[in-house]
Amino acid sequence: MITELTDALRKAKFAEATAKAERLRLEELIEKQFTKPDGGEGSHTDEEVKITWKINRTVDTTKMQAAWDSLGKNAQSAFRWKAEVDLTHLRALKDLDSAAYAQAAEFITSKPAKPSIELLKD
């Protein structure tokens, strides 16, 4: 039973990868039919397609943290902060400092993640 399921999963992953490659190829061909807006951002809409060009922006967090106090309020307002759990430190807190763990745990919601399935043989 598991052999049949893993074989089917392998075939499905291959079909998915093939379909994704074809979709990306077609999207590239469609995009080449239009001129990208000045500045790299904007959109084009006609009867059959809407194309949106965007620019991804990233932050050098280490550099930002080092310079944060020297930035003016207006410059600081250009950034949002999203807290993330440092699982290694959280687990250590649980064993080493239960009071600190309890404080941190008040702000954390835990829920099951999707299981990861890795095919070991090709």
Side-chain angles (χ1 to χ4, degrees), residues 16-35:
E16 180 180 36
T18 302
K20 180 179 179 182
E22 179 64 2
R23 177 183 56 83
L24 293 173
R25 185 185 75 78
L26 293 169
E27 287 177 353
E28 183 179 352
L29 291 173
I30 291 170
E31 181 188 352
K32 286 181 179 179
Q33 303 299 308
F34 303 95
T35 304

Side-chain angles (χ1 to χ4, degrees), residues 16 24 29 54 73-74 77 79 83 91 99 103 107 121:
E16 180 180 36
L24 293 173
L29 291 173
K54 297 180 181 182
K73 292 290 181 197
N74 283 340
S77 70
F79 302 93
R91 286 180 175 152
Q103 284 181 318
F107 306 101
K121 295 187 247 174

Side-chain angles (χ1 to χ4, degrees), residues 32-109:
K32 286 181 179 179
Q33 303 299 308
F34 303 95
T35 304
K36 185 184 287 189
D38 292 339
E41 292 182 299
S43 64
H44 170 83
T45 303
D46 65 25
E47 293 178 9
E48 294 188 53
V49 68
K50 177 179 181 179
I51 301 175
T52 304
W53 290 271
K54 297 180 181 182
I55 295 176
N56 293 323
R57 293 167 174 87
T58 59
V59 176
D60 181 335
T61 303
T62 303
K63 187 176 179 181
M64 166 70 67
Q65 287 174 325
W68 185 256
D69 291 335
S70 67
L71 294 177
K73 292 290 181 197
N74 283 340
Q76 288 180 354
S77 70
F79 302 93
R80 289 187 300 243
W81 295 99
K82 180 180 176 184
E84 294 181 9
V85 175
D86 182 330
L87 193 53
T88 302
H89 285 101
L90 183 67
R91 286 180 175 152
L93 274 181
K94 190 173 186 177
D95 296 332
L96 301 174
D97 187 346
S98 60
Y101 175 82
Q103 284 181 318
E106 289 181 34
F107 306 101
I108 298 170
T109 300

